[in-house]
Amino acid sequence: MMKNSRELIGLPVISITDGTEIGTVKSIVVNPEKRSVDFIAIEHEDWQTSVRAIPFKKIIGLGGYAITVENSGAVIDLNEIPIANQLLNRKISVADTKAITKKGQLAGEIKEYYFNEDTGSIETLNIDAADQNGFINADFVITYGKDIIVLEEEALVSIRETIEAVSEPETNTEEPSKVDQLKEKQMTMLVGKTLKNDVTDYSGEKILSAGEVLTEDQVEMTKQKGPSTFAKLATSVE
């Protein structure tokens, strides 16, 4: 099951033990070497200018309404954990960062990233490439930098393949013929492709298995599960 970073910003952090709100999410702290979310930085009006953090491993649940932890002991002062403070100061945001290939070609701008809800591992990047929306498997990333994300050259192929597969009309005002054409392109890009990984839905339940050859019904079913599930499908084909 995957979450994206923007879903968490501003959410309350709730202590399960006493049922109180102990802060709200200010930012996501990424460890570029581990390629994962390591901490959630939180703030509270009583702390004035102070920002504290929760180690990702201390989080019990990442819900749509709130993030839950066992108790307030999960919250640490950044001065007590140097690595958390160092990571926060490095300001590796991933989202809204330009991406280039190792040979210097501009791939686009990363708009969002999706990470594993259980481990924090970054799995998929959403990229704006020449005003078109595509996805990249995080395995293509060489370096997560403050200013630039560096990708393998093969990422350009993945972007091209997923742009048409995951694009949706922004409004319902488009002519029916264009909508039908888009749906046909989505199917063409995915139907008949073989899955290299299992695909799970928003609840973490496996809906497709690695090795399956995709049918039109399976692609349509995955689209109905939501954009993050469909993005996972689009980046899991050989």
Side-chain angles (χ1 to χ4, degrees):
M1 183 175 177
M2 291 193 294
K3 285 282 186 182
N4 70 60
S5 65
R6 297 186 202 279
E7 287 181 273
L8 304 186
I9 304 300
L11 285 183
V13 179
I14 305 297
S15 164
I16 293 175
T17 301
D18 52 20
T20 59
E21 180 179 326
I22 56 179
T24 57
V25 178
K26 178 178 175 63
S27 63
I28 311 301
V29 184
V30 170
N31 185 320
E33 284 73 42
K34 290 174 59 179
R35 299 165 173 261
S36 66
V37 173
D38 267 18
F39 298 90
I40 304 292
I42 67 173
E43 56 187 353
H44 193 283
E45 57 183 10
D46 293 341
W47 301 340
Q48 298 179 346
T49 60
S50 175
V51 176
R52 301 178 189 181
I54 300 172
F56 192 84
K57 63 184 179 181
K58 294 286 187 179
I59 293 172
I60 292 177
L62 297 172
Y65 173 77
I67 290 176
T68 56
V69 295
E70 187 65 39
N71 53 53
S72 59
V75 180
I76 60 172
D77 189 309
L78 291 178
N79 293 323
E80 297 175 3
I81 309 293
I83 181 62
N85 204 16
Q86 291 167 13
L87 289 174
L88 184 65
N89 289 332
R90 288 173 71 180
K91 297 180 180 178
I92 306 295
S93 63
V94 182
D96 300 321
T97 303
K98 291 236 183 304
I100 65 170
T101 68
K102 63 182 178 182
K103 291 186 178 180
Q105 296 188 69
L106 178 63
E109 182 171 315
I110 305 301
K111 305 307 294 182
E112 182 54 280
Y113 60 97
Y114 295 82
F115 58 90
N116 186 289
E117 187 172 325
D118 296 321
T119 66
S121 176
I122 298 174
E123 297 185 349
T124 304
L125 306 179
N126 179 204
I127 187 168
D128 183 351
D131 295 325
Q132 293 183 296
N133 192 265
F135 287 85
I136 315 169
N137 190 303
D139 289 343
F140 286 119
V141 176
I142 298 173
T143 305
Y144 288 102
K146 176 183 176 182
D147 302 312
I148 295 289
I149 290 175
V150 183
L151 307 172
E152 297 283 1
E153 293 298 315
E154 293 80 5
L156 296 177
V157 176
S158 176
I159 294 168
R160 286 195 295 269
E161 288 180 344
T162 61
I163 278 175
E164 295 293 350
V166 301
S167 295
E168 292 285 355
E170 294 184 358
T171 70
N172 293 324
T173 60
E174 293 191 32
E175 298 175 6
S177 59
K178 292 183 179 180
V179 175
D180 291 341
Q181 185 180 35
L182 178 57
K183 289 181 178 179
E184 183 178 349
K185 286 182 178 179
Q186 290 175 333
M187 289 298 176
T188 301
M189 293 296 296
L190 294 171
V191 171
K193 294 290 183 67
T194 302
L195 285 174
K196 58 184 178 182
N197 302 310
D198 293 342
V199 176
T200 57
D201 65 9
Y202 63 91
S203 67
E205 180 180 353
K206 184 169 73 174
I207 57 174
L208 295 171
S209 301
E212 288 191 60
V213 178
L214 291 174
T215 66
E216 186 171 328
D217 287 343
Q218 288 174 324
V219 174
E220 188 61 37
M221 176 269 291
T222 309
K223 286 175 63 178
Q224 299 303 318
K225 296 287 186 179
S228 63
T229 304
F230 189 58
K232 184 179 292 187
L233 175 71
T235 56
S236 295
V237 295
E238 294 182 344

